[in-house]
Amino acid sequence: MSSIAPMRPALAWPRDEPYEDHPRGTLKSGKEAEIFLVERRFASGPRLLAHKRYRPRYPVKDQLRNEGFSNSTVYRGDSIYKAGWFLRTRDKRAVMGGTRYGHELAGRLWPMQEWTMLRRAWEAGASVPYPVEQTDHGLLMEFIGDDSQAAPKLGQARLTPAELTSAWDQLVENLRALTIAGLVHADLSVYNLLWWEGRLIVIDLPQAVEFTTNSDAYDLLHRDVTNVGEWFTRRGADVDVEALYADLLALAW
Ligand SMILES: Nc1ncnc2c1ncn2[C@@H]1O[C@H](COP(=O)(O)OP(=O)(O)OP(=O)(O)O)[C@@H](O)[C@H]1O
Ligand SMILES: [Mg+2]
């Protein structure tokens, strides 16, 4: 076991304090979910939240519009991530087989899965948005950014060479923390990493898998590190993806 450098500033989230939520509009429209910005006004001051809401799979007429969603929806069909889900045999068969019932069930499970994985990642000390609470079809988390802008994705941030090195070091520390906690992100890319005030933040965890319940976890980890490693290499960082993978494998055991 190795020690993990602190990657995340301590966050004092107000507890048991009354608040009022004020919607501040749509932040991003992703593949399956939309991110809404919410201002939560506590007596001690406002906090910005990101509300990730999954679109209904089979919306009734006007439901998407009424609930503030934009129209297009693409669903991930990849059953590889669902292999570790604990479900009754009948439900598992439906989810894996892609029946309508299975799709609906999976639609409800993705946000739950994301909540669970985000909490586990947070508890592992990884630099992820603070998980605030579950909602009907999604989750509320700490918004990364400030009043005037959302944090850019790493792939779009302009980094100095020193920042690039720091981003890689932080990525390594985050991957170590996740690996020690038994988790693989499984959709890691520079578009699921944010860069804010010199800090790297890992987001978008619904498809994260465990080493213990998913036999593809090791391959997914390799794909993750290769994916981001290539980006760093293209930008001139001197990184060794295979060495990192070997290092992580040793932690996973
Ligand atoms: N907590 C957050 N704070 C700030 N911005 C966020 C936060 N969560 C998500 N975002 C923004 O919303 C985008 C989509 O979020 P996320 O990647 O979780 O959803 P997704 O459905 O997978 O979308 P995509 O298909 O774009 O990857 C992110 O790329 C990021 O720009
Ligand atoms: Mg994403």
Side-chain angles (χ1 to χ4, degrees):
M1 285 276 173
S2 74
S3 68
I4 300 164
M7 290 170 289
R8 191 178 72 195
L11 178 78
W13 196 261
R15 294 198 182 280
D16 308 321
E17 231 188 84
Y19 60 79
E20 245 177 47
D21 280 346
H22 296 265
R24 297 264 305 258
T26 307
L27 195 66
K28 291 276 164 59
S29 183
K31 287 189 297 286
E32 300 164 16
E34 228 152 289
I35 315 282
F36 299 88
L37 184 62
V38 176
E39 184 181 327
R40 181 162 284 192
R41 293 189 193 147
F42 292 98
S44 57
R47 300 282 180 133
L48 289 173
L49 303 177
H51 187 185
K52 184 165 178 177
R53 284 171 67 198
Y54 284 73
R55 291 195 192 83
R57 174 88 198 203
Y58 298 103
V60 296
K61 191 171 177 295
D62 293 335
Q63 186 186 351
L64 286 178
R65 191 156 47 91
N66 292 341
E67 294 185 9
F69 287 105
S70 55
N71 260 323
S72 65
T73 306
V74 184
Y75 279 85
R76 68 187 98 216
D78 217 337
S79 48
I80 190 172
Y81 309 105
K82 301 172 185 160
W85 289 9
F86 288 105
L87 296 170
R88 290 179 302 178
T89 312
R90 190 175 68 97
D91 288 344
K92 185 127 195 169
R93 224 180 293 130
V95 165
M96 298 310 245
T99 63
R100 179 175 172 135
Y101 167 71
H103 282 311
E104 278 170 343
L105 184 61
R108 277 181 279 127
L109 291 174
W110 282 120
M112 288 171 62
Q113 192 70 9
E114 175 153 29
W115 170 255
T116 305
M117 291 302 178
L118 184 63
R119 284 199 54 167
R120 287 182 58 180
W122 174 269
E123 278 156 19
S127 173
V128 293
Y130 175 67
V132 175
E133 69 201 34
Q134 279 183 285
T135 63
D136 268 355
H137 298 285
L139 66 156
L140 278 164
M141 63 188 133
E142 172 192 6
F143 168 73
I144 310 294
D146 63 20
D147 227 35
S148 62
Q149 57 176 327
K153 301 182 205 343
L154 182 64
Q156 294 162 343
R158 293 214 200 112
L159 272 61
T160 64
E163 286 175 325
L164 191 69
T165 305
S166 167
W168 175 259
D169 291 345
Q170 293 182 55
L171 180 70
V172 169
E173 287 308 313
N174 274 292
L175 290 173
R176 293 169 71 97
L178 292 175
T179 304
I180 290 168
L183 303 179
V184 178
H185 183 289
D187 189 23
L188 198 65
S189 76
V190 290
Y191 301 100
N192 283 330
L193 294 169
L194 302 179
W195 182 254
W196 187 247
E197 295 176 338
R199 210 184 120 209
L200 187 81
I201 298 101
V202 181
I203 61 162
D204 202 5
L205 290 134
Q207 70 295 310
V209 301
E210 299 172 296
F211 290 107
T212 50
T213 58
N214 193 307
S215 55
D216 291 307
Y218 293 93
D219 291 343
L220 290 165
L221 178 64
H222 192 261
R223 191 181 71 180
D224 276 358
V225 294
T226 308
N227 240 339
V228 284
E230 280 172 356
W231 182 87
F232 279 89
T233 304
R234 276 200 304 277
R235 268 167 188 65
D238 180 22
V239 307
D240 186 341
V241 166
E242 293 308 323
L244 171 60
Y245 183 61
D247 176 45
L248 294 172
L249 277 192
L251 294 173
W253 283 97

